[in-house]
Amino acid sequence: MICTLERMVKTMKIRIVSAVLAACLLFGTPLQLSAAQALPAGGITTTVSDGRYIDSDWMNQALILTCQGQSWAMGLNLLGDYPVFLSDDGGVRQCVIGDSAVIDVFLSAINEQLKGQVFNSDTPVFDTGTGSYIYNSGQTYYQVNENAKVWILTTLQQQFAAGTPQTLTLELTDGYLTPVVTEGTLTYSPDFVLAGTCTTSFSTSSSNRINNIEVAAGHLNNLLVMPGQEISVSDTIKPRTTANGYKSAGAYLNGRTVPAIGGGICQVSSTVYNAVKNAGLTVLERHPHSMPVHYLPLGLDAAISAGSKDLRFRNDYSAPVILQAYTEGKNLIVNCLVWNHDLNGRTFKLWSKETGSLSAKTYFTTYQDGVEVSTEYVGASYYMAPKPADSDAEDE
C-alpha cells in the first residue's frame, strides 16, 4: 500500500527562519560540483525548487520507504519551498536543508499506521541463548526512529548538491525501526542489575501535582531502551494536556511559579536524569531550572518544556536497558537496569558542588570495582532567586 502525505502538508504553513540553516549545518556533506549554475562567493540561501542551483527534475521524484511489503511515498515537490543553503569551497559543493517539517509529518504518519500493526511478542526482546534475556508478555509494534530521518536528510542533501534526479528508496531494516512493547509482564534474567537509581520526595505536593507525576512516570515505567536508541523524555511522557490525564499545578515561568497543565513533570525528568546518569547512559540534552527546586540539590535537576527544553539520553550499551518509574508512598522512584556484562564492574555517580546560593558545578565519577578511575566536569548551573508566586502553586 502506498500512502502519500500531499493532502496533509498542503494545509501546513511553513515558516522559513534563516537561523535554522546554521543549526542544520551538521548535516552538510561535501560533494563534487555538478553541472548546476556556479554559486556566488560565500554561498547562497535558496529553495529546493530553484532550478538555477538544484536540478528542477528533483521536483518530479519521490522518497519511498518500504517495510515488509508495505510502501510509503512522499513527492519531493513537497519540499519545493523549503530553504536550502548552498556553498562552494574549492570545487566542493555543500547543501543544507533548512527545514524538516514535511519529513517529520511523513514519518509521523507512518508511525501512526505502524501503531495499529500490533503482534504478540513470541520472541524475546533480548536473548543471548546463554541465560541472559528480557521477555515481555505484552504486544509489540514498530516505530521509525531517528536514524531514518538522519538518512533521509543526509541523502537528500547529498543528492540535491550533486546527484542525478532519481527516486530515493529506503528499506526500513532493524536499524531504522524501534520495537515498542505494550504494557505486559516484563521478565528478565538476574544479570540485569540495578545500575542507577534516584528517589525524590513529593510529600508536600498537591493532589494535582501528584497526579501529574504519576501520569508521567507511568509512561516511563518498564520502558525498554534498545542499544543505540535515543529517548526524549518530553515526547515519551506525551503532550501535557487534560486529554492525556494531566492537571493544573505549579510550574516555573519567567521567574515565577504559576499554575500550568502538567505542573510537576520536571520532578520526573530530574529524577530520570540522575538515574540514567548513575547507570552510565549518555545524556544528550539537559537544562537546569530557572530557579532552585525543592527535591534535588542545585545542579542535579533537569527541566523540560515542550518545544524548548528536553531531557534526552541514549543507550550506548550492547544490550537493552530497562527503565522503571513509579511512586511509593510520597516518593518518586526511578531505576535503571543494565546488563551486568555491559557494566563489567563499573559503577557511576552524578554529583554536584554548590558554588554559591544560586549556582553549582556538576561532576560525573566512574568507578571500576569500587575504585575511582575518573571524574569528569559536566557543567555549571545558574539559577535566579524565586519571586513571589502568582498563586499558591508549588515549584516544579
Side-chain angles (χ1 to χ4, degrees), residues 116-132:
Q117 300 177 10
V118 178
F119 58 91
N120 290 325
S121 301
D122 295 328
T123 57
V125 177
F126 173 76
D127 191 350
T128 62
T130 59
S132 300

Side-chain angles (χ1 to χ4, degrees), residues 19-41:
V20 176
L21 297 174
C24 290
L25 280 174
L26 59 93
F27 291 110
T29 303
L31 293 166
Q32 294 301 313
L33 281 170
S34 66
Q37 183 172 317
L39 298 171

Side-chain angles (χ1 to χ4, degrees), residues 19-299:
V20 176
L21 297 174
C24 290
L25 280 174
L26 59 93
F27 291 110
T29 303
L31 293 166
Q32 294 301 313
L33 281 170
S34 66
Q37 183 172 317
L39 298 171
I44 187 172
T45 300
T46 181
T47 62
V48 174
S49 61
D50 188 341
R52 293 174 300 163
Y53 302 103
I54 297 176
D55 195 323
S56 59
D57 192 41
W58 275 112
M59 296 301 94
N60 299 319
Q61 307 302 322
L63 168 67
I64 300 177
L65 304 187
T66 63
C67 179
Q68 298 180 348
Q70 299 179 92
S71 296
W72 300 269
M74 183 187 82
L76 295 185
N77 62 300
L78 298 179
L79 297 169
D81 294 330
Y82 274 24
V84 293
F85 178 74
L86 296 170
S87 61
D88 175 15
D89 182 12
V92 176
R93 176 167 291 188
Q94 295 185 6
C95 172
V96 179
I97 299 175
D99 202 322
S100 63
V102 165
I103 296 171
D104 292 337
V105 172
F106 181 48
L107 297 179
S108 294
I110 295 173
N111 280 337
E112 281 302 313
Q113 182 176 336
L114 290 176
K115 282 182 181 179
Q117 300 177 10
V118 178
F119 58 91
N120 290 325
S121 301
D122 295 328
T123 57
V125 177
F126 173 76
D127 191 350
T128 62
T130 59
S132 300
Y133 63 86
I134 300 176
Y135 288 95
N136 194 307
S137 63
Q139 295 179 311
T140 300
Y141 62 89
Y142 286 101
Q143 294 285 272
V144 182
N145 61 34
E146 191 71 15
N147 293 337
K149 181 178 177 180
V150 171
W151 182 92
I152 291 169
L153 279 171
T154 302
T155 303
L156 286 174
Q157 288 164 157
Q158 290 174 342
Q159 294 295 317
F160 286 160
T164 301
Q166 59 184 302
T167 295
L168 303 179
T169 302
L170 173 65
E171 173 68 22
L172 295 174
T173 54
D174 289 347
Y176 301 110
L177 294 169
T178 297
V180 178
V181 183
T182 61
E183 189 171 336
T185 301
L186 191 69
T187 57
Y188 45 87
S189 53
D191 50 1
F192 277 86
V193 298
L194 180 61
T197 186
C198 182
T199 299
T200 57
S201 171
F202 50 82
S203 60
T204 61
S205 293
S206 67
S207 59
N208 279 7
R209 189 174 186 276
I210 294 173
N211 169 84
N212 295 339
I213 290 172
E214 291 175 340
V215 170
H219 291 307
L220 293 163
N221 192 38
N222 283 338
L223 178 68
L224 291 170
V225 187
M226 305 303 289
Q229 183 181 1
E230 296 180 8
I231 295 295
S232 159
V233 171
S234 185
D235 289 346
T236 304
I237 66 174
K238 295 189 175 181
R240 273 66 79 188
T241 63
T242 54
N244 285 331
Y246 291 103
K247 298 181 180 180
S248 179
Y252 286 165
L253 178 65
N254 298 325
R256 293 184 182 274
T257 303
V258 299
I261 301 298
I265 53 145
C266 287
Q267 181 164 350
V268 178
S269 59
S270 297
T271 311
V272 170
Y273 173 53
N274 285 262
V276 299
K277 280 295 289 184
N278 288 335
L281 273 67
T282 301
V283 172
L284 304 170
E285 180 182 353
R286 171 263 172 184
H287 303 271
H289 285 77
S290 57
M291 301 182 292
V293 298
H294 71 276
Y295 45 81
L296 279 168
L298 300 181

